[in-house]
Structures are given as C-alpha cells and as structure tokens.
Amino acid sequence: MSKKRTLLTAILGLLGVVCLVVAALLPTVIRSNTALFPTDLDRTAVLAGQGTLIDRASFTTATPVATTADVPIEIITRNQSSPGATDDTAATTTTVTSRRSDVAGQAGVFGLDTLAGTIDRTTYKVASSPEPTLITAPATTPSNESSYAGTLFTFPIGTDKSDHTLYELRGHTPITMKYVNDTREINGVKTYHFRGEVTGVDTTQTHGVNQQTQITMPAFKWGIPGGAMEPVTMKLFYSNTRDMWVEPTSGTTVDTHTTPHAYYARSADDSFKVDAINADLRFDDATLTALANDARDARQTLRATFFWTPIALGIVGLLLLVLAAVVYLRRPRRTHDDPHTHGPTATEPPLVGSAN
C-alpha cells in the first residue's frame, strides 16, 4: 500500500472514530455541563382569577370580621438569577406579589413574599445549604426546623412521568406533584399534567410567613357563638390544589391552575373559620403564550443538541469508517511500468510473429 493511501485511510478512520465518540458523549457527559439551570433567568408569570379576601380594616371595628367575595386577584411571580452562580449552583430571587387587580398601585397589594436562595443547577432543586432566606421578615418565629425541598415553579430537564417535589412558597412547605396524564397540548406544545395537594398546613409551624400567623380577638369577631367577649386565638392555615402542565424535554411549566385557601381557625378542620384568601387562579393569556414559546424554543434547542446532532454525527462517523475501509481494500491498478507485471497488459497488443 502506498504512503498516500495509508495516510488517507488513517485520517478517514480517525475522523470517523472521533465523530462516533462525540455522538456517544453528547447525551451524557456534555449534557451534564450544558443542560443546567440558567444563570441569566428573568421570568415573570401572572396567575389571575377571582376569590374571597378578608377585610383587614374590619379587625378594628365593633362588628365581626368581614370578607369580600368575587374580588379580581392577581398573583405575580418573578424568578431571577442573582450574582453568585457557580458550576454547581445558581443564586436566585423569587418574588411573589399578591394583589387586587381592581385597586391601583400599592393599595391593592395584600401579600408580598421574596425568597433568596440557591438552586442546584443540575436537579433544579432548592439547595439546602446555604439555607434560603425570606427577605421580608417573618411576623412570627416558627417553632420547627425549616423544610425547604423540591424545585421552585419548574421541573428539571427531561421530566419523566413520576412524582416530583415542588416547594410551595405560599404555604412554605414541600408538595408532591403526582403525574396525571399527557393528553393536553398547549399552543402546539405537548405537556405532562401533574397535580399536588396540601391540606391544613399550620403556618405557625412553618418558616417565612410574613403575615400574622395567629390573632387573638373576642369570639364575636370570629363569628363564634357563646361568650361574645371571650378571647379566642385563631391560627392561619393553608390549603391548595395545584395543577401544572409541563413540557417534559425542557421542564418548562407552560400552564398552572391553583386554588390557594388561607384561613383563620382554631384547628385545620374547625367549622368556624374566616377566609384570608380563597381563590381560583390560572395563568393569564400573555403568560401562557410566553411560556409556551419558551418551552418550544428550549425543546428544539435540546433536541438539536442531544438528539439530532448525535444521530448526524453517528451517521457521518460510520460513513467515514466505510470510506476508510474502501480506500484500504481497493486494489491498485497495474501499469506497464510495474516490474511485477507479466505478459501483455490490456493496452499492449501481442508481438507480431510470436512463436506459438
């Protein structure tokens, strides 16, 4: 074999092997370094709907505590990456603003939670160390240890049809999101449906609640019959059913339906309770459209990087190896000057007058 053929065969074979190795590594090793929680995240989502709200002005009147029904409500969540990201974790700030949408400005705000913490960039879960902190100081000191666990408002890349833990910021407690089905498509994006429930959480035992978790007032103020002026302490309890529709490739939450219910009562199942908020909310149209577009773009990028690109590289690698084999096995064409050639070649006529 000539030196040129040997060199060409080696180059083609080496390129083929490199393509196959890269194709094999992309979905595994390279993915672990690229499919990470973003360090430039800045996403706002709006839950909108109606519900019942407590009238806190009625706490100071001579009449029972009042509530207002059919109030238009918005819960605005903004997730931002903060300075301080590493290869393993990303610093984040999550701000949740609850407001009456029929009242302009700060006068309509009835709840504000701002959580600063770190996210594991591979699993997207809240990191346990350093412990997340609520920027808005809690109104009371909880009696138990913190229980931060799960992801915040999103799911990890490559979400599967199993249970996932979500940190319920409004209730300051982890919630198990159970897989329901995969029948819904939103703006052309196929989703997995998950549902989680939390019932009767005693917020006096949780970390980070920045409103009064228990209030003592005369019984008549709570609508409790009997001794009208007898002091009664009511605790703040929280329940919620949360439905989320998630694009599985990217883990992007495309739609959410939630029914937050916070109420004052003596126990979680007290028949005498006063609603602080009891609402039925879901993403507004602008949020739904924006998140569907984000999910579609992320899915296409991930599929190109971790599915189509490896397939293309694998095909190219195999073709290069086949070509290298063809070059290696091809027989050289014999010529007139070849000293090992015997007898006439295809281009040489036999000598005239040769002896038989």
Side-chain angles (χ1 to χ4, degrees), residues 239-259:
S239 299
N240 192 11
T241 298
R242 180 181 293 272
D243 288 273
M244 300 174 72
W245 287 264
V246 178
E247 195 289 307
T249 302
S250 64
T252 302
T253 299
V254 182
D255 195 13
T256 293
H257 175 222
T258 181
T259 56

Side-chain angles (χ1 to χ4, degrees), residues 257-320:
H257 175 222
T258 181
T259 56
H261 183 201
Y263 57 94
Y264 288 99
R266 291 165 295 186
S267 64
D269 57 356
D270 193 350
S271 59
F272 294 97
K273 62 183 65 174
V274 177
D275 287 342
I277 178 174
N278 191 0
D280 190 315
L281 311 169
R282 70 184 318 138
F283 283 158
D284 64 9
D285 290 341
T287 299
L288 194 69
T289 299
L291 292 176
N293 291 337
D294 288 348
R296 187 182 300 107
D297 292 344
R299 180 189 62 190
Q300 291 173 349
T301 300
L302 289 169
R303 284 185 174 179
T305 303
F306 303 118
F307 184 73
W308 295 115
T309 300
I311 288 177
L313 286 172
I315 292 173
V316 171
L318 289 174
L319 290 175
L320 287 171

Side-chain angles (χ1 to χ4, degrees), residues 131-346:
E131 181 179 318
T133 57
L134 207 72
I135 294 176
T136 45
T140 59
T141 301
S143 60
N144 68 344
E145 297 297 324
S146 61
S147 55
Y148 293 105
T151 60
L152 282 173
F153 306 106
T154 187
F155 285 69
I157 287 176
T159 298
D160 56 17
K161 298 178 180 180
S162 62
D163 294 351
H164 294 268
T165 302
L166 187 81
Y167 187 73
E168 174 71 42
L169 184 57
R170 292 287 302 175
H172 303 276
T173 186
I175 181 173
T176 299
M177 302 298 297
K178 297 181 177 295
Y179 172 78
V180 179
N181 57 47
D182 62 355
T183 58
R184 186 181 177 195
E185 190 173 288
I186 303 172
N187 294 352
V189 176
K190 190 173 182 62
T191 62
Y192 288 175
H193 178 196
F194 295 89
R195 175 176 294 151
E197 295 184 55
V198 57
T199 304
V201 174
D202 183 353
T203 63
T204 65
Q205 304 298 307
T206 63
H207 275 241
V209 178
N210 64 344
Q211 56 183 300
Q212 288 178 297
T213 56
Q214 59 183 26
I215 300 175
T216 300
M217 291 192 297
F220 85 92
K221 292 290 293 183
W222 299 116
I224 298 175
M229 298 307 296
E230 181 181 349
V232 175
T233 298
M234 302 283 258
K235 298 179 180 181
L236 183 66
F237 294 88
Y238 179 83
S239 299
N240 192 11
T241 298
R242 180 181 293 272
D243 288 273
M244 300 174 72
W245 287 264
V246 178
E247 195 289 307
T249 302
S250 64
T252 302
T253 299
V254 182
D255 195 13
T256 293
H257 175 222
T258 181
T259 56
H261 183 201
Y263 57 94
Y264 288 99
R266 291 165 295 186
S267 64
D269 57 356
D270 193 350
S271 59
F272 294 97
K273 62 183 65 174
V274 177
D275 287 342
I277 178 174
N278 191 0
D280 190 315
L281 311 169
R282 70 184 318 138
F283 283 158
D284 64 9
D285 290 341
T287 299
L288 194 69
T289 299
L291 292 176
N293 291 337
D294 288 348
R296 187 182 300 107
D297 292 344
R299 180 189 62 190
Q300 291 173 349
T301 300
L302 289 169
R303 284 185 174 179
T305 303
F306 303 118
F307 184 73
W308 295 115
T309 300
I311 288 177
L313 286 172
I315 292 173
V316 171
L318 289 174
L319 290 175
L320 287 171
L321 290 178
V322 170
L323 184 58
V326 169
V327 172
Y328 177 80
L329 296 174
R330 188 181 66 181
R331 295 175 63 86
R333 185 178 181 184
R334 291 185 295 184
T335 64
H336 177 69
D337 296 328
D338 190 336
H340 301 290
T341 302
H342 301 284
T345 66

Side-chain angles (χ1 to χ4, degrees), residues 83-107:
T86 68
D87 291 340
D88 299 321
T89 62
T92 63
T93 301
T94 301
T95 302
V96 182
T97 304
S98 303
R99 62 182 300 273
R100 295 183 55 147
S101 56
D102 60 342
V103 178
Q106 288 297 116

